[in-house]
Amino acid sequence: MGSGEWVKVKVCVTEFMKGAAEMAVELGKGCRDIVKQSLMNQDSYINRKFGKDSQVGKRLRGPCHKLCNKLSFFNHYFLPEDKDPLHAWSVIFFVSFLSFAVLYVNFEHDPSTTTSPMKQVFVHPPSADRFVLPDGRYMAYKEQGVSADKARFSIIAPHAFLSSRFAGIPGVKDSLLEEFGIHLLTYDLPGFGESDPHPTRNLESSATDMSVLADALGVNKFWVVGYSSGSMHAWAALRYIPDRLAGAAMFAPMVNPYDPIMTREERRKTWSKWTRRKQFMYFLARRSPRFLAFFYRRSFLSGKHGQIDRWLSLSLGKRDKALMEDPIHEEFWQRDVEESIRQGNVKPFVEEAALQASNWGFSLSDLKLQKIKRSSNLFTWLKSMFIEALDEYTGFLGPIHIWQGMDDKVVPPSMTDFVHRILPGAAIHKLPYEGHFTYIYFCDECHRQIFTTLFGTPQGPLSISLEVDQLNLEANIEQQEALNSSDEATN
């Protein structure tokens, strides 16, 4: 077939398709007119039974009118003035239903996991050290590094979402902790790992649990380390137990994406870095957290590691994806996740997601170091005549260090920029080309740099003098001899 003949055939096919489309449109219009004339006119059965003037229509008219009035606010902010709120909400309902259906299909039918055997989640035997909290709950914890009595520095690290006490500072070596004299303490959040759930937990109760844990293990002041969404609990510690903290170290710190003090530009930069699916998940966490249970049971609580890996990869940069393929990271990630979901209960995860996107009970601006203004009255003036007034401050007095990967797609750098605007005293360490995992996961040199920044030159654990031990031993011997002699005299 020549080129000329091919062009003619193409034109004929195009014209035929146009004609068929026009005929289909006209056919649809004709069917619509027939339905309107036969079923929707004043004398039709449907109109007589369900129309505006029917008994059913009169019963529904009042509730529909009230519903439209309640939904009228939607017009002022999101819709043109000529749109009926009832019509708008019907569209919203349809789009939401369609979104749920698409997400369900995506979670249930993952082509990437059907080509290879599915790894199953293994529930390991209990292995954690646990203690009883004042309210009767058990909390599981893990200690690394030097003992609390020999530590120059103590660190408590609440874990992130879909993690456990095994995380802490992933891959940090005990030899490095001993070199700096660090006592690292990690624990399972309520309902995660081997910790009992909390019936009504919030961020204040999270900070209280942290303080009780420190008391139980003989820790006085400590540094709090927050990574990713675990930073939410670190922020709570800065707000509710500031006197217990020596400082804070944050890595890709999560903040509330709905924080009212965020500017429109800061919010836009943050949300634009997330996939639409992740945006939808945050929307559910904010508005309808109960619906999250549906997706969690079909992803990381499904008992299949393929679904867990897929959940993690909702938004990752190139370096993070490369790190995930490393066998050491993969083994650690698998064990950490298995411990996190060992109870098989969806409620703690829903609670954690809802805490991220709801009102925290405080603002980051409450942590800002600022001078307290004194009231100007006669008593204050007379007091200042005889006693030199000392400046009083509010907010967190200790140092705050933040490390942020500039290629982070999970917690965008715009969140750290927002924190720096609210807390200008925080030291920001921006990491070019680093992602969400690559700086803190299994990087010996990175861990050394972090500890050096926080604690300076390594000096090892605190040394306990042998002379002090000898004196204590002699004192105990003398006390025992005195008791023995008194007993003999009595006899």
Side-chain angles (χ1 to χ4, degrees):
M1 182 182 295
S3 58
E5 294 179 356
W6 171 250
V7 171
K8 290 181 180 179
V9 171
K10 187 176 180 181
V11 171
C12 291
V13 172
T14 303
E15 292 300 325
F16 174 79
M17 294 299 293
K18 287 182 179 180
E22 292 176 359
M23 292 175 63
V25 170
E26 293 300 325
L27 178 62
K29 290 181 179 180
C31 294
R32 181 195 62 185
D33 294 339
I34 291 173
V35 171
K36 282 184 176 182
Q37 293 173 7
S38 59
L39 298 178
M40 304 302 292
N41 56 35
Q42 295 293 331
D43 299 328
S44 67
Y45 176 82
I46 293 178
N47 195 46
R48 282 188 283 108
K49 292 294 183 179
F50 304 101
K52 293 182 180 180
D53 298 328
S54 65
Q55 187 176 1
V56 176
K58 290 177 180 179
R59 289 182 179 179
L60 295 177
R61 187 180 303 169
C64 288
H65 183 68
K66 291 181 180 179
L67 180 62
C68 289
N69 289 335
K70 289 182 179 180
L71 300 180
S72 60
F73 77 93
F74 203 72
N75 282 45
H76 300 298
Y77 299 102
F78 304 102
L79 295 174
E81 295 181 356
D82 59 341
K83 295 294 183 181
D84 189 337
L86 189 60
H87 296 167
W89 278 99
S90 63
V91 173
I92 292 170
F93 174 79
F94 174 75
V95 172
S96 301
F97 176 79
L98 186 62
S99 301
F100 272 99
V102 171
L103 286 171
Y104 175 80
V105 171
N106 285 342
F107 281 129
E108 288 294 314
H109 307 285
D110 181 13
S112 63
T113 59
T114 56
T115 57
S116 58
M118 185 72 71
K119 294 184 296 182
Q120 298 296 321
V121 173
F122 178 72
V123 179
H124 298 260
S127 61
D129 295 321
R130 302 202 305 170
F131 78 100
V132 183
L133 292 159
D135 59 3
R137 290 180 295 117
Y138 279 91
M139 174 180 281
Y141 66 91
K142 178 184 177 182
E143 294 180 280
Q144 287 180 266
V146 302
S147 59
D149 59 335
K150 294 183 180 181
R152 291 185 182 274
F153 309 100
S154 292
I155 294 176
I156 295 183
H159 62 77
F161 190 87
L162 201 56
S163 189
S164 71
R165 67 185 183 279
F166 290 142
I169 303 176
V172 64
K173 292 183 177 179
D174 287 334
S175 59
L176 185 62
L177 295 174
E178 293 178 3
E179 185 178 346
F180 281 85
I182 296 173
H183 174 233
L184 176 60
L185 181 59
T186 57
Y187 64 98
D188 289 329
L189 293 173
F192 292 75
E194 295 184 41
S195 288
D196 291 341
H198 191 295
T200 56
R201 74 184 179 110
N202 53 33
L203 289 181
E204 185 174 4
S205 69
S206 179
T208 302
D209 285 353
M210 208 180 302
S211 180
V212 173
L213 173 65
D215 291 336
L217 298 179
V219 175
N220 185 16
K221 281 215 169 188
F222 58 89
W223 284 73
V224 62
V225 170
Y227 166 65
S228 189
S229 61
S231 301
M232 174 174 59
H233 304 283
W235 293 126
L238 294 178
R239 173 64 180 87
Y240 295 112
I241 54 170
D243 295 338
R244 301 298 306 271
L245 303 183
M250 307 282 193
F251 301 90
M254 184 72 187
V255 299
N256 186 349
Y258 292 95
D259 197 313
I261 61 176
M262 264 189 179
T263 64
R264 181 176 296 180
E265 182 64 17
E266 288 170 338
R267 190 174 288 108
R268 184 194 65 79
K269 287 182 178 179
T270 298
W271 285 83
S272 63
K273 294 293 183 180
W274 290 332
T275 61
R276 292 192 179 275
R277 183 185 300 172
K278 190 167 185 178
Q279 293 176 9
F280 183 63
M281 289 298 172
Y282 276 114
F283 172 79
L284 290 181
R286 174 76 170 183
R287 300 297 182 186
S288 303
R290 292 184 179 180
F291 285 111
L292 290 173
F294 174 83
F295 300 106
Y296 290 172
R297 290 194 182 99
R298 283 160 178 76
S299 53
F300 54 79
L301 287 174
S302 65
K304 302 174 182 178
H305 266 292
Q307 295 284 18
I308 297 173
D309 295 340
R310 189 167 184 266
W311 174 267
L312 174 65
S313 62
L314 286 178
S315 52
L316 289 181
K318 293 181 180 179
R319 294 197 62 182
D320 283 331
K321 290 181 179 179
L323 179 66
M324 285 183 61
E325 297 174 358
D326 183 85
I328 297 177
H329 175 271
E330 184 179 5
E331 181 181 357
F332 171 83
W333 163 252
Q334 178 174 332
R335 181 67 180 92
D336 190 30
V337 169
E338 288 174 341
E339 188 62 26
S340 177
I341 63 177
R342 66 178 295 118
Q343 298 186 33
N345 187 5
V346 72
K347 184 180 177 182
F349 295 95
V350 173
E351 291 174 342
E352 191 73 2
L355 281 176
Q356 290 181 22
S358 61
N359 184 1
W360 285 5
F362 65 93
S363 172
L364 290 185
S365 59
D366 297 335
L367 309 179
K368 183 178 180 180
L369 184 62
Q370 51 191 340
K371 189 184 296 185
I372 299 177
K373 293 182 180 180
R374 295 188 180 87
S375 58
S376 56
N377 52 46
L378 180 60
F379 177 76
T380 306
W381 180 78
L382 290 174
K383 185 179 179 181
S384 64
M385 296 291 292
F386 301 98
I387 302 175
E388 184 179 357
L390 298 176
D391 292 332
E392 296 181 356
Y393 292 87
T394 184
F396 181 64
L397 300 176
I400 301 175
H401 289 266
I402 298 176
W403 281 264
Q404 176 66 54
M406 301 309 291
D407 191 36
D408 194 336
K409 300 294 191 301
V410 180
V411 179
S414 56
M415 281 196 169
T416 294
D417 294 337
F418 163 69
V419 172
H420 197 208
R421 178 175 69 83
I422 303 301
L423 303 175
I428 308 297
H429 309 276
K430 294 186 176 181
L431 309 170
Y433 313 113
E434 298 288 352
H436 190 65
F437 302 98
T438 52
Y439 189 74
I440 190 174
Y441 271 65
F442 294 92
C443 179
D444 297 338
E445 185 59 33
C446 303
H447 296 161
R448 179 175 292 276
Q449 291 175 0
I450 292 167
F451 292 155
T452 302
T453 300
L454 298 178
F455 309 128
T457 305
Q459 300 179 31
L462 294 175
S463 60
I464 301 178
S465 174
L466 294 177
E467 295 179 0
V468 174
D469 290 344
Q470 184 67 26
L471 291 174
N472 292 335
L473 179 60
E474 292 175 357
N476 291 334
I477 293 174
E478 292 177 359
Q479 184 178 7
Q480 187 65 36
E481 290 177 351
L483 291 173
N484 292 337
S485 61
S486 63
D487 291 341
E488 291 176 358
T490 303
N491 295 331

